[in-house]
Amino acid sequence: MAKTISNIPDRDAIRKNFEGLYPSSLDALCEGIDNSFDYRPPTTPKKPGSVELTFEHKGDETHRVILADDGSGLSHEGMCNGLMIKRQQQANGSCGAYGTGWKSMWDYLATNPGIISQKNGKLCWCFYNEPGEGWELDVHEEGDEGTRAVRKLWTVYAVDSQEDGTIHIMNGLKKSFDVKELKKVLAWKYNTKIKESNVNIFVGEK
């Protein structure tokens, strides 16, 4: 007798697969940095773009990493699509399937990550649910409850709060970073891309 089953993947199993995608914390972080280079309006030497990494410390431990850019930003619909695994397939040579890059970077690096983006002056945001809460993600937009608090975060961490862009906030880090070594590696890894794209990378600590 035929039996219909629910074929929804186990969330924890998928997350474990995400966590195993990268050989190091830097490789995971580069997933987001690459997106910040790729999804942006044209830049010029007189008006370069920016990718900003901020490492926030508590004592000797890094407890939060902020990855911010002044790229194209995301609309509410765009963020919803971006957070759905294989919702759309990207063209060959681009960043791959929607959704997997963010989630894999988040799951590798942090226990409580989130994203805030602004496009055409309007904010949208999503903070990733803790493991075990299912696959539901609440994607909010300007005017929803919490807008004022998110606008404050945007004002503090955005490259330019008046312009479009995106912020990844990675709280509760699972991995440690040697920031001095990371600066050296980023300078080497992105040297050519920085020159070709007129996009600079800034690394700071708090």
Side-chain angles (χ1 to χ4, degrees):
M1 179 178 181
K3 182 180 180 180
T4 301
I5 63 170
S6 174
N7 198 28
I8 299 174
D10 177 76
R11 174 174 174 162
D12 289 339
I14 295 296
R15 292 183 71 141
K16 287 294 183 185
N17 286 335
F18 284 165
E19 291 173 7
L21 286 177
Y22 305 106
S24 72
S25 301
L26 176 60
D27 289 285
L29 198 56
C30 286
E31 183 81 54
I33 295 173
D34 288 343
N35 281 348
S36 293
F37 271 88
D38 292 339
Y39 297 102
R40 62 171 50 253
T43 57
T44 66
K46 290 185 177 180
K47 191 177 181 181
S50 295
V51 178
E52 297 182 357
L53 278 168
T54 303
F55 293 83
E56 296 189 348
H57 304 294
K58 280 188 176 179
D60 295 332
E61 298 293 323
T62 303
H63 77 103
R64 175 189 285 176
V65 175
I66 310 294
L67 170 60
D69 67 51
D70 55 358
S72 298
L74 292 161
S75 65
H76 184 253
E77 181 180 2
M79 184 173 289
C80 289
N81 285 337
L83 288 164
M84 296 180 73
I85 298 175
K86 285 190 74 69
R87 172 65 176 178
Q88 298 182 40
Q89 188 69 36
Q90 300 282 59
N92 289 337
S94 64
C95 290
Y98 271 126
T100 56
W102 293 348
K103 291 189 181 76
S104 57
M105 177 182 71
W106 289 351
D107 282 322
Y108 189 93
L109 293 175
T111 59
N112 187 22
I115 183 172
I116 304 172
S117 195
Q118 178 167 275
K119 191 172 185 67
N120 298 326
K122 294 184 178 180
L123 286 178
C124 58
W125 68 92
C126 176
F127 290 95
Y128 207 30
N129 292 341
E130 290 296 322
E133 294 184 5
W135 280 103
E136 294 81 10
L137 294 170
D138 297 321
V139 185
H140 298 277
E141 60 184 329
E142 190 101 27
D144 287 352
E145 184 178 354
T147 295
R148 183 176 296 180
V150 171
R151 177 61 69 181
K152 286 183 179 179
L153 285 172
W154 179 258
T155 300
V156 171
Y157 292 112
V159 172
D160 183 339
S161 62
Q162 303 301 312
E163 300 293 335
D164 293 344
T166 299
I167 301 171
H168 292 275
I169 301 175
M170 288 165 278
N171 296 299
L173 292 182
K174 300 176 183 178
K175 310 291 182 179
S176 61
F177 286 92
D178 181 333
V179 178
K180 289 183 179 179
E181 184 63 24
L182 179 138
K183 289 179 180 179
K184 295 177 184 177
V185 174
L186 289 178
W188 168 79
K189 181 178 178 66
Y190 288 96
N191 180 52
T192 300
K193 205 164 190 176
I194 288 170
K195 293 176 181 177
E196 292 176 348
S197 64
N198 297 307
V199 176
N200 297 310
I201 300 176
F202 300 95
V203 180
E205 298 182 75
K206 290 184 178 180

